[in-house]
Amino acid sequence: VPALSLQKVGRSYDQAGFSLDILRGADFQLWGGQSVALIAPSGAGKSTLLHVAGLLEKPDAGEVYVGGFATVDMADDERTALRRNEIGFVYQFHHLLPEFSAIENIMLPQMIAGYSKREAGERAAQLLEYLGLAARGKHRPAELSGGEQQRVAIARAVANGPGVLLADEPTGNLDPKTANHVFEALDAIVRATGLATLIATHNMELASRMDRRVTLQDGLVVELD
Ligand code: ADP
Ligand code: ADP
């Protein structure tokens, strides 16, 4: 089964009394080990698609399957548990907790998911090592460079071993060289874990190195090239 599957997904917002149809029956499938770039102009619905795919927002129509499980009619706590176990998120800004060290930031989602402090610490240390950040574990986010912060955010997002990683402009705030470094870190983790990734990006150079490229057109997901 696909790691993530959207079937005929609809999502509208009310804006000043008007219904704005952002997704209009969108179909999309993402397989394990695949990286897909989502390229579309601002306002097209990229964040909406990522939020619906990531079980943060419910669609108004259609179904979202994560790891083969239909999620729309699930109980809220079941859906939250599935999200915590199966979905990782990375944003344009790292959203690391400022009072905690890099390693603690990576440990937290694992401890929320029920792993022991020792297991969480070992996994976090491995991820830091893997991302070339072994010497940075004790630093707080403010003491890290922008690229290091994003790599810690990636480590946090994958710490629970999700099947799907969703990223919204993860390199949007970085210079090209740092963006490339962060992308390579992400790519290495995808290759090593068989994670499925959907990355909204305006960086065409990085998009060209991913497995597939899609856009949003009239509320549908459309394959490019
Ligand atoms: P993108 O990420 O491609 O820039 P978004 O998914 O953020 O697009 O937004 C698509 C459209 O939906 C925009 O017109 C935005 O204003 C609108 N929108 C997004 N979220 C909401 C919301 N919670 N309430 C009302 N309108 C929203
Ligand atoms: P919650 O506090 O809703 O239980 P979690 O702690 O399980 O959320 O968070 C899981 C992931 O979802 C985190 O990466 C978090 O940043 C992200 N997340 C949670 N709520 C939202 C939201 N409303 N918008 C964007 N991302 C969110």
Side-chain angles (χ1 to χ4, degrees), residues 11-15 20 22 40-51 57 168 200 202 216:
R11 183 74 173 102
S12 308
Y13 295 114
D14 281 325
Q15 268 192 8
L20 205 59
I22 304 303
S42 188
K46 299 183 295 298
S47 300
T48 301
L49 183 75
L50 290 171
H51 286 165
E57 280 181 42
D168 202 346
H202 290 295
L216 277 163

Side-chain angles (χ1 to χ4, degrees), residues 96-169:
L96 297 169
L97 297 173
E99 300 306 320
F100 291 89
S101 67
I103 196 160
E104 287 166 344
N105 268 282
I106 301 169
M107 289 168 67
L108 269 172
Q110 299 178 78
M111 294 178 67
I112 291 169
Y115 291 98
S116 72
K117 197 168 175 185
R118 189 170 140 232
E119 288 171 305
E122 283 172 3
R123 169 102 173 132
Q126 274 174 3
L127 283 166
L128 283 169
E129 171 96 47
Y130 199 77
L131 292 169
L133 295 169
R136 291 281 187 268
K138 295 219 167 71
H139 294 248
R140 289 187 186 185
E143 299 165 328
L144 302 172
S145 72
E148 287 171 338
Q149 290 168 347
Q150 270 313 57
R151 279 182 283 151
V152 173
I154 291 168
R156 178 186 54 180
V158 303
N160 285 348
V164 178
L165 181 69
L166 302 172
D168 202 346
E169 294 283 349

Side-chain angles (χ1 to χ4, degrees), residues 51 54 56 80 83-84 87-91 95 109 112 156-157:
H51 286 165
L56 293 168
T80 298
R83 188 184 75 228
R84 285 182 180 162
I87 316 260
F89 294 95
V90 180
Y91 301 96
H95 295 301
I112 291 169
R156 178 186 54 180

